[in-house]
Amino acid sequence: MTRTLLMLGLLALAGCGTVEGIGEDISAGARAVRNAF
């Protein structure tokens, strides 16, 4: 289980490529959660 979560996390970070990309992804996730409520 831990190995699977680690791999998913690494793939997500690799998809971002930059620190700016990570920030955009986090912001998009926060907006999606906020809009769900």
Side-chain angles (χ1 to χ4, degrees):
M1 183 69 175
T2 302
R3 185 178 289 174
T4 302
L5 292 175
L6 178 62
M7 291 301 289
L8 288 173
L10 289 174
L11 287 172
L13 289 175
C16 296
T18 63
V19 173
E20 183 179 343
I22 294 170
E24 291 174 5
D25 290 345
I26 291 171
S27 294
R31 282 191 298 272
V33 170
R34 184 180 62 212
N35 291 336
F37 295 106

